[in-house]
Amino acid sequence: MNAKDIMGISPIVPVIAIDDEKDALPLAKALQAGGVNIMEITLRTEAGLKAIKLISEQMPSINVGAGTVCNEEELLQAKEAGSKFVFSPGISQELIDASLKHNITLIPGVATASEVMLAQNNNIFYCKLFPATLSGGVDILKAFSGPFAKMNFCPTGGVNLNNLNDFLILKNVLCVGGTWFVPKDAIENNEFDKITQLCKEAISSIGID
Ligand code: 3PG
């Protein structure tokens, strides 16, 4: 699966930290019911890899990938668990080389012009902007559109219901990532209907001022 296709699956990409893998399948179902067919499960928790494995084996209809992949070892673990792609908060030559070596699509995070240059010099034209609002938000994306006209972004970090349209209206933004529609307490308390509602609320708000 290439990065363009991945970033075209859903306008909102859930960034998920899961503490108990038993929540993985109900969460995947709740997201699908809300119209979201992609999951970025971060490797920040012990259960992350187990959750990816469960979903990739038992719910192949949802596109599951790993997030917070910072080095080759994590990239390989993510792939072996069944990730269809990996997201990273940052970018490094090591990680780019590892993604080529292990044949898995990497969507790296960038926040500066130099990092965008590293991406495009490696033929990568689909990146996260991370942390989106802190690194300059809409203004930096507009600034990047001049020198880096071919680069496409998934702003992540600080995106929410109030500002997602500010990002999604930009030509160089294909989707946004975030946690606001997959709150940790809702996962822990098994409030999966609430997550479905939050997805629907976000998707229905797209394009409306
Ligand atoms: C993260 O890495 O936690 C993501 O960028 C999500 O950030 P958010 O909680 O601001 O959506």
Side-chain angles (χ1 to χ4, degrees), residues 89-131:
I91 185 166
S92 69
Q93 193 64 52
E94 178 209 349
L95 202 54
I96 296 168
D97 293 346
S99 72
L100 296 172
K101 180 171 152 193
H102 299 295
N103 193 27
I104 185 162
T105 299
L106 165 69
I107 300 182
V110 295
T112 66
S114 299
E115 291 164 356
V116 176
M117 284 163 58
L118 176 59
Q120 64 180 25
N121 291 343
N122 280 278
N123 258 324
I124 293 174
F125 293 97
Y126 299 87
C127 290
K128 272 194 183 204
L129 175 73
F130 179 79

